[in-house]
Amino acid sequence: MTTKESLYLDDALGHAQFLAKQCREAAGTLADPALRKCAEKLAGEYGQMYQRFYDQL
């Protein structure tokens, strides 16, 4: 893996982690069950994305 590829994965990991955290926090504050479920689903998807990027390392 080149240095550039490694830096890209590190950046992608940070973004996926940040987005998952933001979605979890939003889900915790939403009163509407449908919106909460959507935010939780997105958090899970970003968590999976993080794991896929991490597995590349």
Side-chain angles (χ1 to χ4, degrees), residues 8-26:
Y8 173 79
L9 284 174
D10 186 48
D11 193 37
L13 280 168
H15 286 292
Q17 190 174 36
F18 172 76
L19 291 169
K21 180 181 175 203
Q22 291 296 106
C23 289
R24 281 192 306 272
E25 289 176 2

Side-chain angles (χ1 to χ4, degrees), residues 1-51:
M1 181 179 303
T2 67
T3 302
K4 189 172 184 176
E5 290 169 331
S6 178
L7 289 172
Y8 173 79
L9 284 174
D10 186 48
D11 193 37
L13 280 168
H15 286 292
Q17 190 174 36
F18 172 76
L19 291 169
K21 180 181 175 203
Q22 291 296 106
C23 289
R24 281 192 306 272
E25 289 176 2
T29 62
L30 291 168
D32 185 306
L35 289 175
R36 187 178 324 115
K37 184 176 180 179
C38 182
E40 290 169 350
K41 181 180 177 207
L42 284 171
E45 290 175 5
Y46 284 123
Q48 290 173 354
M49 183 184 303
Y50 175 89
Q51 191 59 49

